[in-house]
Amino acid sequence: MSLSDKDKAAVVALWGKIGKSADVIGNDALSRMIVVYPETKTYFSHWPDLAPGSPHIKAHGKKVMGGIALAVTKIDDLKAGLFDLSEQHAYKLRVDPSNFKILNHCILVVISIMFPKEFTPEAHVSLDKFLSGVALALAERYR
Amino acid sequence: MPENSVSADLQTESHKMVEWTDFERDTIQDIFSRIEYDVVGPAALARCLVVYPWTQRYFGGFGNLYNAAAIKGNPMVSKHGTTILHGLDRAVKNMDDIKNTYAELSVLHSEKLHVDPDNFKLLADCLTIVVAAQLGNEFTGEVQAAFQKFLAVVVSSLGRQYH
């Protein structure tokens, strides 16, 4: 299910509209993920405060969305473009890749809430494919 | 678990009842009393057919599903979307026995319609996204958790009679 030219154009266009809200999206998506999928808390046991919108979550959401923004610029070759991030996730962070899908879903929910008009079914399918591609690229170096 | 879905899997041992908190019960009743069935249903089904196009395999008799515009404007898709939402009503009204509420529908989807039960999760994810757009900021993490738990029980019950 690789990205067609139409998908790439749709993702770049959508990011053009939502990109400046990346920090807010990241904060809400992560806060939401921790509530909806409590098993994901296991990765954040080193944070004292896991309340939605806490400083740790805000900062981390910003970091994650920075990665997504990078991925948008590397949309023509996600595997190469996200190589370093993949190495980091594989050897340092060791997040089970099933969690990428979970966070992706939460990102989509937040975008649906914040940008209901822009997040049409056509935009949704392209963004879902893109985020799945990002997840795949992030898992590339795992084994 | 299917690749594309993140709805929670629930264990459905026959001796286990699903337990609902007051918050979860209230949230489900509230959501379904507020959403417009003939808007949300068609939107969710159309979105599913666009985002997961292989689900179109079950709608061969629905006419033009050629592109997103055709799907969104297709009257049979709209009608069926509304039917699905009204079908969810049964679970909303019988939250303590969703499993038995859907026994017959489960047999229908398995024996007659031959729907791969993984597809139920795909539709559930699309429904979550459509309801999120409808409720906006009121679709908090806690509300989302309750809604996804409800849909997971529905999905599990619909898949229960498959053999």
Side-chain angles (χ1 to χ4, degrees), chain B residues 14-128:
Chain B
S14 55
H15 60 275
K16 267 198 203 150
M17 286 270 298
V18 180
E19 295 193 15
W20 303 99
T21 64
D22 287 344
F23 174 81
E24 287 166 346
R25 286 179 196 277
D26 292 345
T27 296
I28 297 308
Q29 299 306 313
D30 184 55
I31 290 175
F32 280 86
S33 72
R34 290 168 58 183
I35 58 176
E36 293 174 69
Y37 284 38
D38 56 7
V39 169
V40 168
L45 181 58
R47 190 168 285 257
C48 186
L49 294 171
V50 170
V51 177
Y52 309 109
W54 55 91
T55 59
Q56 292 171 28
R57 77 189 303 282
Y58 302 109
F59 300 100
F62 274 36
N64 187 2
L65 299 177
Y66 188 63
N67 54 33
I71 289 169
K72 276 186 267 190
N74 185 311
M76 290 183 79
V77 171
S78 294
K79 182 158 178 274
H80 195 63
T82 305
T83 299
I84 290 172
L85 255 274
H86 283 293
L88 282 178
D89 239 2
R90 292 194 226 181
V92 175
K93 295 185 165 72
N94 289 288
M95 282 178 72
D96 288 314
D97 197 11
I98 293 177
K99 187 174 70 188
N100 285 318
T101 299
Y102 284 135
E104 240 181 76
L105 269 176
S106 180
V107 171
L108 173 78
H109 281 76
S110 152
E111 308 277 307
K112 192 158 169 257
L113 304 174
H114 308 293
V115 178
D116 180 340
D118 285 350
N119 288 272
F120 303 146
K121 295 181 188 176
L122 301 181
L123 180 58
D125 282 351
C126 286
L127 188 56
T128 298

Side-chain angles (χ1 to χ4, degrees), chain A residues 6-24:
Chain A
K6 190 169 159 217
D7 290 320
K8 293 179 193 176
V11 170
V12 169
L14 184 65
W15 190 256
K17 294 177 196 149
I18 72 177
K20 50 184 145 8
S21 308
D23 290 356
V24 176

Side-chain angles (χ1 to χ4, degrees), chain A residues 5 62 67 70 87 106 113 141:
Chain A
D5 289 341
K62 195 169 168 178
L70 172 70
E87 293 253 302
C106 291
I113 289 172
R141 301 295 300 155

Side-chain angles (χ1 to χ4, degrees), chain A residues 93-130:
Chain A
L93 303 173
R94 289 174 292 189
V95 174
D96 190 295
S98 59
N99 294 286
F100 301 151
K101 282 172 221 149
I102 286 176
L103 182 55
N104 283 343
H105 173 71
C106 291
I107 289 171
L108 294 180
V109 169
V110 170
I111 291 173
S112 182
I113 289 172
M114 290 178 65
F115 303 96
K117 286 196 175 56
E118 290 84 348
F119 197 54
T120 60
E122 297 93 316
H124 179 168
V125 61
S126 295
L127 189 63
D128 190 38
K129 285 175 75 174
F130 167 71

